[in-house]
Amino acid sequence: MAHASDGRSMEFKLPDLGEGLTEAEIVRWLVEVGDVVAVDQPVVEVETAKAMVEVPCPYGGVVTARFGEEGTELPVGAPLVTVAVGATAADGPARASGTDAGSGPGADEAPAAGPPAAEKKPEGSGNVLVGYGTSEAPARRRRVRPERRVATGVSGRANGRVRDAGQTTGPAVRTAEPVDGPVPVISPLVRRLARQHDLDLRELAGSGPDGLILRADVEYALRAAAARGGRTADREAGTGGAPAGSVAPSPAAPSDGTRVPLKGVRGAVADKLSRSRREIPDATCWVDADATGLMRARTAMNASGGPKISLVALLARICTAALARFPELNSTVDAEAREIVRLDGVHLGFAAQTDRGLVVPVVRDAHARDAESLTAEFARLTEAARAGRLTPGELTGGTFTLNNYGVFGVDGSTPIINHPEAAMLGVGRIVPKPWVHEGELAVRQVVQLSLTFDHRVCDGGTAGGFLRYVADCVEQPAVLLRTL
């Protein structure tokens, strides 16, 4: 998604990062205006709803403009940087006399003609992200959107917000008077949100580059409209037949508290869990199991030399064996077709808590891996999750989830299914407890196992059979030998 704005200047736009993502937040700029960049050099680090991604620029030259500050949320297709292809570091800053996008003289001027026929065209990089290539894009004139300015004190909207008359915000502010031209919106999500709430986008001035209307602008306008409506209703209810000059006091807004936006990973988790609760009729069953045999088996494996085997890898191996016996739980529901889709392979997700929030990396083809391979893959994905390097492909496509919440020091839970999967196995902490073993009371290593499942894909008998088999393997790991 790069476009030529003149013979040498290339405008690189935020590409489609895959998995249906429509926007990303700028976390950190990796280049400054005036820097010389090479083909495929990362220029910005962005955070999507699924992962942190370094975005490489498919052109080499001098950076003449950056679009958006750190913390700004940009939709797919919005400009990221402008690169003077073939320019040197000496003439780079001269072409862009400021760090803000569009601040240079050349930003507001359309070229009189395209490049000469003999001029060498910029080469593509061959490094392709989802949705855009790096071959040369056709030259086009850059459209400049003039800003409307009014003197301070005039009421209007700016950045999607309503400004009261008389409020002083600076020498000039941008208004959002209705226009006849196209509405500056790129994201279909923004258009759908406005359409669902009968909001006229022409009345908003966006906070994005060149007045682009972002989802945050629409959401703020909707909240402001709701607040005005609520205050109007309160006044009408409070005044009743009071004289026109009297005004009922409106309830004071809470002065304390902090608003935290639901965006990025936290927003994606909220959306997915809410959808799971709305669509999936889930049920949970659980059982206590004596894990002493499993712990001893792991100790024996690790004492024999070779790579150490993790406990979660053994639990994953038990899960794949149980799913082979009860394939109903390795499925998904196609609600539109009213069909249950049983999946051939097991792509095992596991819950991982990180500084950025809860993520669920996916171990591909877990059913075909042994304990050593599972251990290595769990370690790799966990490290990538903590470092924020997971790709969207490593966070999607799971068919069953293993949730080891015992690491938090709790015994049990009723987890929410990771939509669109059909089941999740939860594992609590393993602690010494009194247990009747071979007819005598003894202290054993006990764990609570829970299974949350979609009741549409199976009945309680199937879910109970799955959980009982898992518990039997935990108590007597030799049971797994029948399937090896």
Side-chain angles (χ1 to χ4, degrees):
M1 296 181 71
H3 300 277
S5 57
D6 57 39
R8 299 175 65 196
S9 184
M10 304 298 295
E11 184 182 86
F12 175 50
K13 297 187 176 184
L14 178 65
D16 177 5
L17 300 175
E19 300 296 336
L21 301 174
T22 59
E23 55 200 10
E25 179 180 336
I26 296 175
V27 175
R28 181 168 58 100
W29 281 106
L30 305 178
V31 295
E32 300 287 344
V33 170
D35 287 355
V36 178
V37 295
V39 172
D40 290 341
Q41 177 180 332
V43 294
V44 65
E45 184 178 40
V46 300
E47 179 180 19
T48 70
K50 297 186 181 295
M52 300 273 279
V53 180
E54 288 187 352
V55 180
C57 179
Y59 296 97
V62 176
V63 177
T64 59
R66 298 188 321 188
F67 295 83
E69 299 297 327
E70 294 179 357
T72 303
E73 192 172 66
L74 298 180
V76 169
L80 274 180
V81 294
T82 301
V83 178
V85 178
T88 64
D91 64 0
R95 293 176 55 87
S97 57
T99 60
D100 294 334
S103 62
D108 295 331
E109 299 175 1
E119 183 176 341
K120 183 178 179 181
K121 297 181 179 180
E123 297 179 355
S125 69
N127 187 4
V128 180
L129 290 180
V130 178
Y132 81 105
T134 56
S135 59
E136 182 191 6
R140 64 173 177 84
R141 291 179 180 268
R142 183 174 179 184
R143 183 176 62 190
V144 179
R145 184 180 305 280
E147 291 188 352
R148 293 181 175 83
R149 297 183 177 271
V150 296
T152 304
V154 179
S155 64
R157 296 173 183 261
N159 298 335
R161 306 185 180 189
V162 178
R163 181 176 293 110
D164 296 331
Q167 180 180 352
T168 303
T169 60
V173 296
R174 188 174 62 194
T175 65
E177 300 174 2
V179 295
D180 296 330
V183 180
V185 178
I186 293 178
S187 171
L189 179 64
V190 173
R191 291 185 181 275
R192 184 171 71 245
L193 183 63
R195 186 168 57 250
Q196 289 173 345
H197 294 85
D198 296 326
L199 180 65
D200 188 355
L201 291 173
R202 297 177 186 274
E203 297 180 357
L204 301 184
S207 58
D210 294 331
L212 189 69
I213 297 176
L214 307 179
R215 183 174 64 180
D217 301 325
V218 175
E219 291 174 344
Y220 185 91
L222 294 175
R223 288 196 299 268
R228 290 196 302 272
R231 287 195 295 268
T232 302
D234 290 341
R235 286 196 296 268
E236 293 177 352
T239 55
S246 63
V247 179
S250 59
S255 58
D256 55 352
T258 302
R259 290 181 176 269
V260 180
L262 278 174
K263 63 179 183 179
V265 173
R266 185 73 261 166
V269 170
D271 293 341
K272 198 159 193 177
L273 295 181
S274 298
R275 183 177 183 184
S276 179
R277 276 295 189 218
R278 286 194 307 268
E279 297 183 8
I280 298 179
D282 58 351
T284 302
C285 55
W286 57 89
V287 65
D288 290 340
D290 180 2
T292 306
L294 181 66
M295 300 299 287
R296 288 176 178 173
R298 176 173 176 255
T299 300
M301 290 179 188
N302 291 337
S304 63
K308 300 295 184 182
I309 304 300
S310 67
L311 180 60
V312 69
L314 294 179
L315 293 170
R317 186 65 187 86
I318 292 173
C319 278
T320 58
L323 290 172
R325 284 177 167 250
F326 301 92
E328 298 92 336
L329 294 169
N330 192 53
S331 62
T332 187
V333 174
D334 187 340
E336 293 185 1
R338 296 186 62 82
E339 294 176 342
I340 298 172
V341 182
R342 292 186 181 174
L343 305 170
D344 297 329
V346 178
H347 303 311
L348 188 67
F350 65 98
Q353 192 69 38
T354 70
D355 294 338
R356 300 173 59 238
L358 178 69
V359 295
V360 184
V362 177
V363 177
R364 301 287 170 183
D365 299 316
H367 62 285
R369 296 176 182 265
D370 57 20
E372 287 188 3
S373 175
L374 288 169
T375 297
E377 187 66 357
F378 277 122
R380 184 188 71 82
L381 291 172
T382 299
E383 177 61 26
R386 290 172 179 167
R389 298 195 307 267
L390 288 172
T391 65
E394 292 171 330
L395 287 165
T396 54
T399 64
F400 186 91
T401 296
L402 175 62
N403 188 356
N404 182 21
Y405 44 74
V407 296
F408 301 118
V410 298
D411 295 325
S413 174
T414 56
I416 300 175
I417 295 174
N418 187 23
H419 186 280
E421 297 171 13
M424 176 186 294
L425 178 69
V427 181
R429 60 176 180 164
I430 301 176
V431 292
K433 288 184 179 181
W435 190 269
V436 176
H437 176 66
E438 296 180 351
E440 295 183 358
L441 188 63
V443 176
R444 307 286 287 182
Q445 300 293 318
V446 179
V447 62
Q448 185 179 101
L449 306 170
S450 64
L451 177 71
T452 299
F453 64 98
D454 186 341
H455 227 314
R456 295 174 297 179
V457 304
C458 68
D459 295 326
T462 300
F466 174 92
L467 189 59
R468 186 64 258 171
Y469 180 80
V470 170
D472 290 344
C473 291
V474 168
E475 294 183 341
Q476 303 179 50
V479 173
L480 280 175
L481 295 176
R482 297 179 61 92
T483 61
L484 296 180

